[in-house]
Amino acid sequence: MPPRTLALVDDDREFADFLAEHLRGHGITVDVFHDGRDLLTADHPYGYGFYVVDLMLPGVDGIQLIETLRRRTHAGILVVSGRLDPGVFKQVVDATADMYLAKPVAFEQVVLAITAIQRRVEGSLPAMARAGWRLDRRASQLVAPDDARIQLSPADLAMMECFLEADGEVVPRETLRQCLGRDEPPEHGADGLNAAIFRLRRRIERATPAVVPLQSRSRVGYLFRAPLSVV
């Protein structure tokens, strides 16, 4: 099964745009970055389900980018690059990327590589990471995969109900504001949604070392990118 979300980092704009469109045709949500720094300064650079990375990048070198990603995520990393100098394969392996494909490459070959890596990654994830998160409505608690319990405020609980109903999809900002009882648009006053999300994130971070699956989609909304069920 392909990953749900993917970050494609390649400064060849034509190649990246065509590959991204091909991957979207396979049901993958793809964000394209033409510079490694653009990815690392995005809202949630370590929250993607998969990464396809070129090696010859402006700003942050491809090998350095892979090493940075690997320190923060278990997601699959596929290198697709035209760099063929001696020793490059060893550099890619030492940086702990999962596979290397040399350009020129057929897009369907990229899809097959992603699928193979994703299958291996999902099979090797710790049981805790696969267990998912649970919402205990009666206790007003969010239960992390390691069984840590996060006490939720009424606002937290309302947002978690929205994420539960969305089933992994993005919840629009307006929907979340309505859940919080804040119907006014942000331009008419302080937007309390960002503050509410920040407080929920901090509660989770203080309770468990698990990666917080709350992610933003710029100018669109937020999503809870992890399995979520009801106790």
Side-chain angles (χ1 to χ4, degrees):
M1 183 176 180
R4 180 174 291 180
T5 60
L6 182 148
L8 171 57
V9 191
D10 196 312
D11 64 338
D12 184 336
R13 294 175 180 268
E14 183 176 6
F15 173 83
D17 288 345
F18 279 117
L19 176 56
E21 192 62 27
H22 187 82
L23 295 175
R24 290 175 184 129
H26 286 266
I28 304 172
T29 298
V30 181
D31 289 338
V32 177
F33 302 90
H34 300 298
D35 186 320
R37 292 170 299 191
D38 294 339
L39 170 62
L40 295 178
T41 56
D43 287 336
H44 295 285
Y46 310 110
Y48 289 94
F50 202 97
Y51 297 84
V52 175
V53 179
D54 187 17
L55 294 181
M56 297 180 289
L57 295 170
V60 179
D61 175 76
I63 295 294
Q64 182 183 353
L65 177 61
I66 293 166
E67 292 172 339
T68 301
L69 292 171
R70 186 53 78 212
R71 288 195 293 267
R72 299 292 299 271
T73 176
H74 295 290
I77 300 176
L78 170 65
V79 173
V80 180
S81 178
R83 182 177 163 188
L84 299 173
D85 52 282
V88 65
F89 184 76
K90 183 179 186 302
Q91 286 181 298
V92 168
V93 171
D94 289 345
T96 67
D98 295 288
M99 193 181 295
Y100 179 92
L101 295 178
K103 294 178 180 176
V105 62
F107 289 165
E108 197 56 34
Q109 186 179 357
V110 176
V111 173
L112 291 173
I114 290 172
T115 302
I117 294 169
Q118 185 70 7
R119 187 184 304 119
R120 185 167 70 243
V121 168
E122 289 181 347
S124 63
L125 281 175
M128 186 183 79
R130 297 195 300 266
W133 298 68
R134 290 157 287 161
L135 184 62
D136 187 338
R137 289 166 168 160
R138 181 174 298 179
S140 294
Q141 292 177 336
L142 178 64
V143 185
D146 61 357
D147 289 329
R149 286 183 168 265
I150 300 99
Q151 193 65 45
L152 302 176
S153 70
D156 296 334
L157 186 59
M159 288 191 292
M160 290 308 305
E161 291 285 1
C162 287
F163 293 131
L164 181 67
E165 184 176 351
D167 192 25
E169 299 298 322
V170 176
V171 180
R173 296 178 65 88
E174 287 305 314
T175 300
L176 287 167
R177 287 195 191 99
Q178 291 169 10
C179 289
L180 294 171
R182 300 184 175 106
D183 294 331
E184 74 281 359
E187 60 268 21
H188 292 167
D191 183 7
L193 175 57
N194 291 339
I197 291 287
F198 176 78
R199 286 192 293 269
L200 176 57
R201 180 184 298 277
R202 289 299 301 273
R203 287 192 179 96
I204 297 173
E205 289 174 341
R206 288 168 178 164
T208 174
V211 176
V212 180
L214 278 170
Q215 297 181 14
S216 68
R217 288 293 180 265
S218 182
R219 300 182 181 180
V220 178
Y222 292 87
L223 75 158
F224 195 86
R225 192 184 164 275
L228 178 63
S229 60
V230 177
V231 174

